[in-house]
Amino acid sequence: MKTTARKKTVKRAAGAAAKPRPRNAFYAQSGGVTAVINASAAGVIEAARKFPKHIGKVYAGRHGIIGALTEDLIDTSAEDPATIRALRHTPAGAFGSARFKLKGLEQNRAEYERLIEVFKAHDIGYFFYNGGNDSMDTALKVSQIGEALGYPVTCVGVPKTVDNDLPLTDCCPGFGSVAKYIAVSTREAALDVASMARTSTKVFVLEVMGRHAGWIAAAGGLAGRKADDAPQVILFPEIAFDKPAFLAKVKQSVERNGYCVIVVSEGTRYPDGRFLAEAGTKDAFGHTQLGGVGPVIAGMVKEELGYKYHWAVADYLQRAARHIASQVDVDQAYAVGKAAVEFAVKGHNAVMPAIIRQPGKAYRWKIEAVPLAEVANVEKTVPRHFITADGFGITAACRRYLEPLIAGEAYPPYVDGLPDYVRIKGKAVKRKLKTTYKV
Ligand code: F6P
């Protein structure tokens, strides 16, 4: 794996990079967590320990950026190397994540001033922000605002999102493992419903995440290899829901195969843009909270076609499923964390390590630095040519893209029949400021 930087990315003055004095780093987890976000944390922390001339300590935000605003920092140097190593096989956010969006400088200057005040107090010169689209935007803003406030901070975004919707990168760490979990679960549940269909359940519905992008739903398609294999129906956010066509497809599958397996994205919408299932609440980023499309779809099938059904909402199970993580995903998650540090110490600012797929039959990838400005707030959805003409399946091109991302098993160690996950000590860094901040 090679790490290179695109010419366009911002590099600090050569003089400054040549004579570094160690500055501390701040690492924060942001947004929905994944099975491998801690592997990125391990990548950042272990790499930082290799650059003592550049980086002093790595402080992690307790609950992400909120930890910075409230000066609640975790001293990762107090963690055993074995604990940091074990983060590689431990799911969810070991330091705590946050759905908390910093507004623009004009709307809330105080928030940025506070952040910089905390960074200054703790001699933080590097900011590694591990998140999705919104977090890349925040990292970019912090880099700009640090300059504007006379305290430049090297900001590097570390990509993470199960939704797989960041641009410029081949895929997003976190996605490969969810994709594997959904493909495996779809295949297994399909065997179950096929066994029962003659006298009982004929339709199984699996609801998966993905607010605006159907990458996770598409991964369900990996469960089948031949025409008529389950899932017979995939519902994508990219394709407006066509109820008559959907019901006809379900009926056809039950008549032909005896059963029908449906993978539905939580982001599936009616042609007028309304989600099939909105929970009625919004998160801090202003996103509509979703959930419940599975039972909506199952109810529709029962009401219109009369088939007995079961439904399941994969929900947090899918993004926490470290026990069935993809080896490629774990490797990439670690690599982007490590590369973020390497780029930062080389003087790159306002960049994100992106995974670049190499040409050729075998799946090979390298890491390149791409400008945060080109990543922030851009969503990469499933292209139309990855979806079959009828809108209910994945094409061979989509399969070719997805398959390598779920390759390999990275089982965690097991003790007493259960995965042996690690917990950090979470030693707090001594506060230096007299002021407090309420979020
Ligand atoms: O981070 C993306 C995501 O996993 C979405 O697919 C999902 O809608 C959302 O997070 C749920 O997040 P939360 O835990 O904040 O409700």
Side-chain angles (χ1 to χ4, degrees):
M1 195 266 307
K2 268 183 27 203
T3 57
T4 51
R6 284 192 175 181
K7 283 213 187 75
K8 267 203 250 163
T9 60
V10 185
K11 220 171 162 186
R12 291 210 186 285
K19 274 195 176 166
R21 82 175 166 81
R23 313 277 308 279
N24 296 321
F26 175 68
Y27 165 79
Q29 302 183 321
S30 175
V33 293
T34 78
V36 301
I37 183 172
N38 289 330
S40 295
V44 167
I45 296 165
E46 290 180 348
R49 288 178 180 181
K50 294 203 172 110
F51 292 99
K53 286 195 182 136
H54 297 73
I55 300 181
K57 291 189 172 186
V58 177
Y59 297 142
R62 204 180 305 275
H63 291 288
I65 197 85
I66 290 180
L69 292 169
T70 57
E71 207 194 348
D72 192 356
L73 307 175
I74 296 169
D75 185 354
T76 69
S77 71
E79 303 294 337
D80 236 286
T83 302
I84 302 301
R85 227 178 2 259
L87 288 177
R88 217 166 157 145
H89 67 248
T90 299
F95 304 96
S97 187
R99 280 211 187 274
F100 184 85
K101 185 165 173 133
L102 288 187
K103 299 193 183 70
L105 185 59
E106 320 72 47
Q107 290 126 289
N108 200 345
R109 192 179 174 92
E111 230 162 48
Y112 290 96
E113 286 175 346
R114 170 65 179 179
L115 201 66
I116 297 299
E117 186 189 13
V118 173
F119 281 5
K120 247 189 209 170
H122 292 275
D123 194 23
I124 290 168
Y126 300 92
F127 175 33
F128 299 107
Y129 206 23
N130 203 174
N133 317 66
D134 294 307
S135 316
M136 296 305 129
D137 178 56
T138 302
L140 177 62
K141 280 183 184 141
V142 172
S143 80
Q144 293 162 343
I145 283 151
E147 297 274 356
L149 297 181
Y151 186 83
V153 180
T154 299
C155 297
V156 180
V158 185
K160 166 249 51 159
T161 169
V162 295
D163 290 351
N164 199 37
D165 58 358
L166 287 168
L168 303 187
T169 181
D170 181 55
C171 58
C172 304
F175 170 68
S177 296
V178 173
K180 189 175 181 94
Y181 176 86
I182 293 300
V184 168
S185 304
T186 303
R187 180 172 283 183
E188 291 175 344
L191 293 176
D192 194 313
V193 66
S195 316
M196 303 306 294
R198 177 118 187 229
T199 54
S200 180
T201 305
K202 291 194 170 30
V203 172
F204 174 68
V205 182
L206 178 61
E207 174 183 326
V208 302
M209 282 182 169
R211 200 183 286 112
H212 300 135
W215 293 107
I216 303 177
L222 293 176
R225 285 205 190 95
K226 302 186 297 304
D228 284 340
D229 276 359
Q232 289 81 10
V233 178
I234 302 175
L235 297 174
F236 299 89
E238 289 83 359
I239 304 286
F241 182 63
D242 177 345
K243 188 172 168 185
F246 162 69
L247 291 168
K249 182 88 183 169
V250 173
K251 188 160 181 282
Q252 183 202 58
S253 171
V254 172
E255 286 171 0
R256 199 145 72 194
N257 311 306
Y259 70 98
C260 180
V261 171
I262 302 163
V263 176
V264 56
S265 167
E266 64 176 356
T268 305
R269 295 166 185 258
Y270 288 110
D272 65 6
R274 273 177 309 124
F275 290 111
L276 263 67
E278 294 194 3
T281 45
K282 289 201 190 281
D283 68 17
F285 294 120
H287 304 140
T288 302
Q289 180 166 7
L290 301 175
V293 69
V296 167
I297 284 292
M300 200 180 278
V301 166
K302 174 78 183 158
E303 198 177 302
E304 306 278 346
L305 302 172
Y307 299 137
K308 182 177 175 204
Y309 62 78
H310 271 257
W311 54 262
V313 181
D315 204 71
Y316 278 10
L317 299 180
Q318 67 200 294
R319 69 181 202 202
R322 180 61 185 80
H323 66 285
I324 188 68
S326 139
Q327 182 70 62
V328 166
D329 192 30
V330 175
D331 291 346
Q332 292 180 335
Y334 186 87
V336 293
K338 178 171 175 273
V341 170
E342 291 166 355
F343 287 134
V345 299
K346 277 189 200 146
H348 291 277
N349 184 30
V351 295
M352 179 191 90
I355 298 157
I356 310 294
R357 190 179 290 228
Q358 300 298 282
K361 259 196 158 184
Y363 181 60
R364 286 179 312 113
W365 49 277
K366 64 173 186 172
I367 303 256
E368 244 180 50
V370 298
L372 281 178
E374 289 177 28
V375 178
N377 295 316
V378 182
E379 274 178 338
K380 182 177 77 182
T381 54
V382 180
R384 189 62 186 86
H385 73 279
F386 274 17
I387 301 174
T388 49
D390 67 1
F392 295 124
I394 59 166
T395 60
C398 184
R399 187 176 292 277
R400 274 197 301 279
Y401 164 73
L402 289 172
E403 265 173 359
L405 309 183
I406 68 164
E409 291 70 45
Y411 299 119
Y414 278 70
V415 171
D416 297 333
L418 288 168
D420 190 22
Y421 296 140
V422 79
R423 265 174 187 270
I424 58 154
K425 281 197 283 239
K427 184 179 173 234
V429 176
K430 204 168 177 303
R431 290 176 198 273
K432 299 206 167 166
L433 296 169
K434 296 256 173 317
T435 47
T436 54
Y437 194 84
K438 248 190 140 37
V439 289

